[in-house]
Amino acid sequence: METLGYLIDGFGVALQPHNLMFALIGAFLGTLIGALPGLGPANGVAILIPLAFSLGLRPETALIMLTAVYAGAMYGGRISSILLNIPGDEPAMMTCLDGYPMARKGKAAEALAISAIASFMGSLIATVGLILLAPILAKFALTFGPAEYFALFVLAFATLGGITGKNPVKTILAAAIGLMIATVGIDATGTQRYTFGMLKLYEGVDFIIAIVGLFAISELLFFIEERAGGGKGKMVVNKLKLSWKDIREIMPSSIRGGVLGFIAGVLPGAGASLGSFIGYTVEKKIIGKKGYFGQGDPRGVAGPEAGNNGASSGALVPMLTLGVPGSGTTAVLLALLISMNITPGPLMFTQNADIVWGVIAALLIGNFLLLLLNIPLVGIFVKLLSVPPMYLLPIVTMVAFVGIYSISNSAFDLYFMVAFGVFGYFLRKLEIPMVPIILGLLLGPEMEKNLGHALTLSDGDWTVLWDSGLALGLWIVAIAGLILPVIVGPILRRRMQAAAGNQPD
């Protein structure tokens, strides 16, 4: 009953007219961003963070808008997958397997509608799971001491690559770069570290500047390099002919995919790619020869779409309850909260209950808004995607620069952002991931603080870090999280590639 009371209060926050308006704006922009091939939700949220600051939004409004962008981007990733056989992001890759064959059969509108319904079901199931699981996990996290939190942060870094990560060495290198950047500034003892006598660096590196540079500016550089030639080709959507029988047929696949996706999302490092893959493979095994997977089976669209959207909502659970992001996009949302002087974790459910439950209620409302947007208005999204990059790029760049400048009114921050963008561009050329850098930058200070507290309380005894049963359990899971991707990751990637390779031309 206590949870229900908090949820009702959350609806009071989410249903305020300005919050509802920004949720709708975020859902629309997120769908458009998700549909742009390669951009993805993490980059989309990073690009729009400066907009939240330049508009002077309250924390709950900013988080509602950007969470709606996140959810919308997960919806939008299916559009180019189905129409062009080009995934909007990695989790949408599995949607290509049956979505594109449906489009080639003249059923593009049906495929888009089915994917929207499945995305809605996956997100709805995961949001209900978030409502039920988050308060329990938050209460459990209150038992954590400094040693347990340090072990938890180690776990977060150990699972960074996830089981779909390509190169664990590069992931560890990226995390080390992030931790190094986090040490810039004045430490707890008053010692200057890597400031080079520059006053601007005394307070450390502003992670919002780093995030917008590493994600948004580097993505713009890639966008210029790869897509300067113009539009993405012609996209055609037929008239929708979807019956209630068709919807009933995909409903079991959507429910299974949503549940599996939520479980994958709650696990740090697993993410939406795993949710999408499991959603597809489970459906293929359950239906077996009765289906025609790879040739335009609607259940092959519903399963992975419900899976990746379920995982995206599930990834909010560890971020809100433990302060540990469950995905790249939630790492960006974590930075937004910290920059607004809100500390994610178990205490957030008591100190900032209005924000937490307002966002959860907004997720429920946002799912219905996205369903209403994505079925009747899909033609508008398709037409907007035909706009050449030469017109889109200046708008995105302007939003990033104006937003960053509005935070501090400092030209130095703009130069710093561009420097991070160029740095991120070259790192991505070397296939070094961005998310571990951001995570190192975000969690580094807290990790250092908890290590210091644990050693102070134990008079410098390092065994305190694994002395309690809970800390030891976290260390064991962290070691398993570091080793398993090396063993399981290549197998899973081969199966995903094999599934994509078996798709008929």
Side-chain angles (χ1 to χ4, degrees), residues 242-263:
L242 193 67
S243 66
W244 284 109
K245 181 183 176 183
D246 297 326
I247 295 173
R248 285 196 302 271
E249 187 182 50
I250 64 157
M251 204 52 66
S253 302
S254 302
I255 293 170
R256 283 191 291 264
V259 172
L260 292 169
F262 174 71
I263 295 169

Side-chain angles (χ1 to χ4, degrees), residues 150-500:
F150 181 78
L152 181 67
F153 291 139
V154 173
L155 171 62
F157 284 109
T159 56
L160 271 177
I163 66 173
T164 56
K166 293 181 180 178
N167 193 322
V169 175
K170 289 183 178 179
T171 301
I172 293 170
L173 174 62
I177 292 171
L179 288 170
M180 288 171 63
I181 297 173
T183 62
V184 174
I186 299 177
D187 69 3
T189 65
T191 305
Q192 293 182 30
R193 300 186 297 193
Y194 311 113
T195 58
F196 307 105
M198 300 174 68
L199 289 173
K200 286 282 186 181
L201 295 179
Y202 277 26
E203 294 182 1
V205 175
D206 189 325
F207 32 75
I208 295 297
I209 294 171
I211 283 173
V212 175
L214 289 171
F215 278 95
I217 302 300
S218 69
E219 183 63 34
L220 289 172
L221 294 174
F222 265 91
F223 207 70
I224 292 169
E225 181 183 44
E226 296 175 3
R227 301 182 179 89
K232 302 173 187 61
K234 190 176 180 181
M235 306 185 203
V236 180
V237 180
N238 60 298
K239 189 176 179 181
L240 179 62
K241 298 175 183 177
L242 193 67
S243 66
W244 284 109
K245 181 183 176 183
D246 297 326
I247 295 173
R248 285 196 302 271
E249 187 182 50
I250 64 157
M251 204 52 66
S253 302
S254 302
I255 293 170
R256 283 191 291 264
V259 172
L260 292 169
F262 174 71
I263 295 169
V266 170
L267 300 172
S273 296
L274 179 64
S276 175
F277 177 72
I278 291 177
Y280 187 85
T281 52
V282 166
E283 286 310 304
K284 196 172 180 180
K285 285 186 178 180
I286 289 175
I287 294 166
K289 294 181 180 179
K290 295 179 183 177
Y292 43 100
F293 287 84
Q295 301 173 35
D297 192 316
R299 293 162 295 189
V301 175
E305 277 300 307
N308 73 44
N309 282 274
S312 66
S313 295
L316 291 168
V317 173
M319 185 201 83
L320 293 173
T321 58
L322 303 174
V324 175
S327 67
T329 313
T330 52
V332 179
L333 291 172
L334 180 68
L336 173 73
L337 287 172
I338 295 172
S339 68
M340 292 183 165
N341 296 317
I342 297 169
T343 305
L347 293 177
M348 188 177 174
F349 279 76
T350 53
Q351 295 174 352
N352 303 103
D354 56 332
I355 295 175
V356 174
W357 290 102
V359 169
I360 292 173
L363 273 174
L364 285 170
I365 296 168
N367 285 331
F368 288 94
L369 291 176
L370 282 163
L371 186 65
L372 293 173
L373 279 174
N374 275 268
I375 292 181
L377 301 182
V378 71
I380 294 175
F381 290 116
V382 171
K383 288 179 181 177
L384 286 172
L385 292 181
S386 302
V387 177
M390 62 182 290
Y391 300 117
L392 289 175
L393 287 172
I395 297 171
V396 175
T397 307
M398 180 186 70
V399 168
F401 273 81
V402 170
I404 291 297
Y405 189 76
S406 68
I407 296 172
S408 62
N409 296 318
S410 169
F412 177 85
D413 289 347
L414 296 180
Y415 294 131
F416 214 22
M417 177 185 70
V418 172
F420 268 110
V422 175
F423 180 53
Y425 172 80
F426 285 112
L427 288 177
R428 290 174 65 178
K429 280 287 188 182
L430 298 171
E431 296 186 349
I432 294 174
M434 296 292 102
V435 172
I437 297 176
I438 295 302
L439 203 59
L441 184 57
L442 289 174
L443 300 185
E446 284 296 312
M447 192 176 184
E448 182 183 11
K449 184 175 77 175
N450 280 284
L451 175 62
H453 284 175
L455 292 176
T456 300
L457 291 171
S458 65
D459 293 325
D461 183 4
W462 285 85
T463 60
V464 71
L465 297 178
W466 51 82
D467 194 40
S468 72
L470 181 55
L472 183 61
L474 289 169
W475 278 102
I476 292 170
V477 175
I479 293 168
L482 197 61
I483 295 172
L484 280 177
V486 180
I487 301 169
V488 180
I491 298 170
L492 179 59
R493 287 196 300 275
R494 280 197 298 270
R495 288 186 178 180
M496 291 176 73
Q497 290 166 1

